[in-house]
Amino acid sequence: MYPYRFSNVMIGYLNLGTLLASIPIIGAGLWLAKGSTTTCSSILQTPLLVIGFVVLLISLAGFVGACFHVAWALWLYLFAIMLLIAFLLGITAFGFAVTAGGGGTQIPGRPYREYHITDYSSWLQHHMQNMKYWRPALACVVGSKACAKIENWTPMDYLQHDLTPIQSGCCKPPTACQYSGGMPVGAQDEDCYRWNNAPDILCYQCNSCKAGVMEQIRQDWHKISVLNVIVLVALICICSCGCCAFRNARRSLSEYPYGGAMVPW
């Protein structure tokens, strides 16, 4: 009987774990698709479903191939793992390129930063200026109710408390703006004229708001990139084990699994 190799056992357990982990991912995507009422949640449903089903299928192929020595299933599994590794490498490098720059400017005497659209990559600027992308992003900002959380702040609160990039860019005019009787005076940044105290207007059409959204994207992407690197290391390790399991599965199909010749009696 062909003995189980360490690589087969390890990859079997690894894929059993990832197979079980894909179930809550798919469940979360289905829940968002069925019960979500906000743009911020609904835009997550497709990536969650795709990731969940891809992980499920790949893990199932790897589990079956490793535990039952199915060479073709392991071949598909290794091919899919290699595609995932290439995809993650590409998207991680692309993400770092398009989210370069930013970080905001510290306002003297204030704990928060303000953000400028010109500090970000041209690719990101182009997407935020395109209404096709800006409308859902703005709907997400409004739906998050970030501005409602600070609508009752006093001037002293702005001197003592930090703001998120969305709150800094979308919920207030730039700090440098000068107003007299509620109207901007003199030659100032265009955002000073776009600002309106009405809760449904605020600075939602300001360039600073778009910059705040881009800064939030930059921060979120850098967090995701850390996870991408961890996943890449794990995938490379799993792929190495999978190669050993694939070799063992092919040997198990031959008449002489260890490559030795039959000794005549």
Side-chain angles (χ1 to χ4, degrees):
M1 179 182 294
Y2 182 73
Y4 280 98
R5 298 286 184 99
F6 176 74
S7 58
N8 296 68
V9 176
M10 175 180 288
I11 203 167
Y13 279 118
L14 286 172
N15 284 285
L16 179 60
T18 54
L19 189 151
L20 294 175
S22 68
I23 295 176
I25 297 175
I26 295 172
L30 292 173
W31 178 80
L32 287 173
K34 181 178 179 181
S36 175
T37 57
T38 64
T39 304
C40 291
S41 297
S42 64
I43 60 175
L44 297 176
Q45 68 191 40
T46 300
L48 279 175
L49 287 173
V50 171
I51 292 172
F53 278 111
V54 168
V55 171
L56 176 65
L57 293 175
I58 291 176
S59 300
L60 186 60
F63 181 76
V64 172
C67 294
F68 298 98
H69 307 294
V70 182
W72 66 266
L74 275 175
W75 186 89
L76 288 176
Y77 167 77
L78 288 174
F79 181 71
I81 287 291
M82 290 176 185
L83 285 181
L84 273 178
I85 291 173
F87 173 76
L88 280 175
L89 280 172
I91 199 154
T92 300
F94 175 76
F96 275 121
V98 300
T99 57
T105 302
Q106 186 68 52
I107 303 302
R110 308 291 177 98
Y112 57 82
R113 292 174 174 266
E114 289 187 343
Y115 307 92
H116 307 281
I117 197 170
T118 54
D119 292 340
Y120 299 88
S121 68
S122 57
W123 185 91
L124 205 54
Q125 289 184 48
H126 171 74
H127 275 67
M128 284 297 102
Q129 297 287 9
N130 190 327
M131 293 304 295
K132 175 183 175 182
Y133 300 101
W134 175 241
R135 284 194 188 97
L138 181 58
C140 182
V141 170
V142 176
S144 69
K145 301 187 183 302
C147 295
K149 298 175 183 177
I150 64 171
E151 63 180 356
N152 294 321
W153 276 21
T154 65
M156 186 60 65
D157 289 321
Y158 285 95
L159 295 173
Q160 297 176 343
H161 302 293
D162 198 4
L163 296 171
T164 67
I166 299 295
Q167 290 172 335
S168 176
C170 305
C171 305
K172 65 170 189 60
T175 305
C177 292
Q178 300 291 327
Y179 294 93
S180 178
M183 298 296 293
V185 294
Q188 301 189 68
D189 190 293
E190 291 182 0
D191 285 348
C192 299
Y193 294 89
R194 296 188 181 108
W195 161 260
N196 191 299
N197 201 40
D200 58 338
I201 300 179
L202 299 179
C203 216
Y204 290 141
Q205 297 304 323
C206 296
N207 283 332
S208 63
C209 187
K210 295 175 181 178
V213 172
M214 288 191 285
E215 176 62 22
Q216 194 65 59
I217 292 173
R218 187 189 73 86
Q219 293 181 8
D220 291 343
W221 178 256
H222 285 184
K223 294 175 185 176
I224 293 172
S225 296
V226 175
L227 179 61
N228 283 350
V229 172
I230 295 173
V231 171
L232 275 170
V233 172
L235 285 176
I236 292 171
C237 293
I238 292 173
C239 188
S240 300
C241 292
C243 290
C244 295
F246 178 65
R247 180 192 60 191
N248 296 340
R250 290 192 63 185
R251 283 179 177 176
S252 71
L253 296 176
S254 66
E255 184 178 1
Y256 313 112
Y258 296 101
M262 182 176 67
V263 178
W265 291 94

